[in-house]
Amino acid sequence: MARKDIPGQASLVFDVALLDLHNPKDGISIENKVVPENCERRSQSGDFLRYHYNGTLLDGTFFDSSYSRNRTFDTYIGQGYVIPGIDEGLLGVCIGEKRRIVVPPHLGYGEEGRGNIPGSAVLVFDIHVIDFHNPSDSISITSHYKPPDCSVLSKKGDYLKYHYNASLLDGTLLDSTWNLGKTYNIVLGFGQVVLGMDMGLREMCVGEKRTVIIPPHLGYGEAGVDGEVPGSAVLVFDIELLELVAGLPEGYMFVWNGEVSANLFEEIDKDGDGEVLLEEFSEYIHAQVASGKGKLAPGFDAEMIVKNMFTNQDRNGDGKVTAEEFKLKDQETKHDEL
């Protein structure tokens, strides 16, 4: 309204709708909506949070929501990656907590605003913390049950059969072998599961039940698994170990259970022609395993092990092993053969 349009000595009437107000000295305001009873650790500077939020102005006008994108907002806190008000407001939260954070403009988007956020606007964020972790975190193991005899503990090379439920920290179920009706089987320490699970299955006895919490850098990382595991998610595995087959000493794929024959090459070379072919070698090794005189590393393809053993012995690569080529492992340690 131009001043020239206002008559002199006129009384003016203004209808005002107060959108918000703040004082430059204001800090953020936090209102706790839901705080879980069990809160083992609160977030601190340097943690990586995954959270959902709805963002509105003080009058309720909507401006943004992570829910509409169907994925969490993920960030380090206390490090300046988000606006100062949120950086501060996300400190000291529990996993699963819901809180409202009111942010004055000088701790938000300032006088300029951003996108559909007006300049100098007070912002309201309704936050739901899904999970958080610290890059220095290791796995967490909680044992719920151990059988009376828990003396044989799992180690690298053992073949394990186990059941698990996999979920997020908010309880969302990701996968379950119980639902599938079959165990998950691995050789421990050979990269067949994520590193956190490999760590979580160690020193476990048959019949034991435990919960393993795995931070993303020991799980599926920032990428996650498309359509299955969200990126940067902390994972919870409830595990029951059902069977353990002891592995071989490290570096061995086959061992003898007793004394090795002094005439081993001659026993393998049944036709006595001074040359052992793969078929002869394979037949002999499998016979030793069947009779209990030898043992192959459990959980691996037996034929592949035998073929690798033969290849190690066939030093000139001509498809046959001679007496001159043939050596036991303790005679030449760089090979994983007999």
Side-chain angles (χ1 to χ4, degrees):
M1 179 185 298
R3 183 173 297 180
K4 65 182 180 180
D5 295 330
I6 303 175
Q9 305 299 318
S11 296
L12 304 179
V13 178
F14 292 90
D15 292 320
V16 177
L18 181 63
L19 298 181
D20 64 34
L21 59 88
H22 74 280
N23 190 288
K25 297 179 181 180
D26 289 345
I28 63 171
S29 171
I30 294 176
E31 178 185 352
N32 291 323
K33 299 288 188 179
V34 176
V35 180
E37 292 183 8
N38 182 20
C39 184
E40 295 182 359
R41 182 167 85 82
R42 291 181 179 271
S43 62
Q44 55 191 335
S45 180
D47 286 343
F48 189 86
L49 265 73
R50 296 193 316 124
Y51 63 95
H52 273 301
Y53 70 89
N54 282 324
T56 64
L57 305 181
L58 263 184
D59 66 355
T61 301
F62 169 87
F63 65 80
D64 193 20
S65 173
S66 63
Y67 296 99
S68 65
R69 295 187 292 274
N70 198 31
R71 65 156 296 157
T72 57
F73 191 85
D74 309 334
T75 185
Y76 289 97
I77 60 167
Q79 308 290 310
Y81 289 99
V82 289
I83 58 175
I86 293 299
D87 222 7
E88 178 185 348
L90 290 174
L91 295 172
V93 296
C94 303
I95 291 172
E97 183 173 337
K98 295 181 179 180
R99 65 168 45 174
R100 172 169 287 179
I101 306 171
V102 180
V103 181
H106 56 280
L107 297 175
Y109 292 104
E111 297 180 1
E112 300 299 322
R114 176 180 294 182
N116 58 350
I117 300 175
S120 299
V122 177
L123 308 178
V124 180
F125 291 90
D126 288 305
I127 302 286
H128 181 197
V129 180
I130 302 302
D131 63 36
F132 62 80
H133 72 281
N134 193 282
S136 64
D137 288 346
S138 185
I139 64 169
S140 169
I141 298 176
T142 303
S143 184
H144 304 291
Y145 171 76
K146 290 186 178 181
D149 182 8
C150 193
S151 56
V152 179
L153 302 179
S154 57
K155 64 184 185 308
K156 181 178 180 180
D158 290 347
Y159 182 57
L160 308 182
K161 295 184 179 182
Y162 60 96
H163 271 308
Y164 71 83
N165 281 329
S167 61
L168 303 178
L169 276 179
D170 65 358
T172 301
L173 183 66
L174 300 176
D175 191 20
S176 173
T177 57
W178 276 289
N179 291 347
L180 295 174
K182 60 180 181 180
T183 59
Y184 200 79
N185 310 328
I186 68 159
V187 180
L188 194 58
F190 281 79
Q192 297 178 359
V193 288
V194 295
L195 181 56
M197 177 60 90
D198 201 296
M199 297 164 65
L201 287 168
R202 302 213 178 198
E203 298 185 356
M204 192 174 185
C205 63
V206 173
E208 183 176 346
K209 299 178 182 180
R210 60 171 54 170
T211 296
V212 180
I213 299 177
I214 302 176
H217 53 278
L218 298 174
Y220 293 100
E222 294 181 9
V225 179
D226 189 31
E228 299 181 40
V229 181
S232 299
V234 178
L235 304 179
V236 180
F237 285 89
D238 294 310
I239 302 168
E240 180 180 2
L241 182 58
L242 300 182
E243 186 176 337
L244 183 159
V245 180
L248 304 185
E250 190 165 353
Y252 286 80
M253 298 300 283
F254 173 86
V255 295
W256 297 96
N257 289 328
E259 292 295 324
V260 181
S261 171
N263 301 313
L264 183 57
F265 182 83
E266 289 75 12
E267 290 183 9
I268 300 174
D269 182 23
K270 285 188 176 181
D271 59 11
D273 65 355
E275 297 177 345
V276 171
L277 302 180
L278 176 59
E279 292 77 10
E280 291 177 284
F281 187 85
S282 178
E283 181 182 349
Y284 181 83
I285 294 297
H286 285 299
Q288 306 315 299
V289 173
S291 67
K293 295 179 180 179
K295 181 180 179 181
L296 291 168
F300 293 97
D301 183 278
E303 291 302 328
M304 186 60 67
I305 293 176
V306 173
K307 185 175 181 180
N308 287 340
M309 291 167 62
F310 179 83
T311 301
N312 287 338
Q313 295 289 341
D314 181 17
R315 301 171 197 282
N316 63 6
D318 64 355
K320 55 192 176 185
V321 177
T322 63
E324 290 74 21
E325 291 176 298
F326 189 80
K327 289 183 176 66
L328 295 176
K329 185 174 177 67
D330 60 0
Q331 295 170 323
E332 187 169 47
T333 58
K334 69 179 181 179
H335 291 292
D336 287 342
E337 71 271 33
L338 299 176

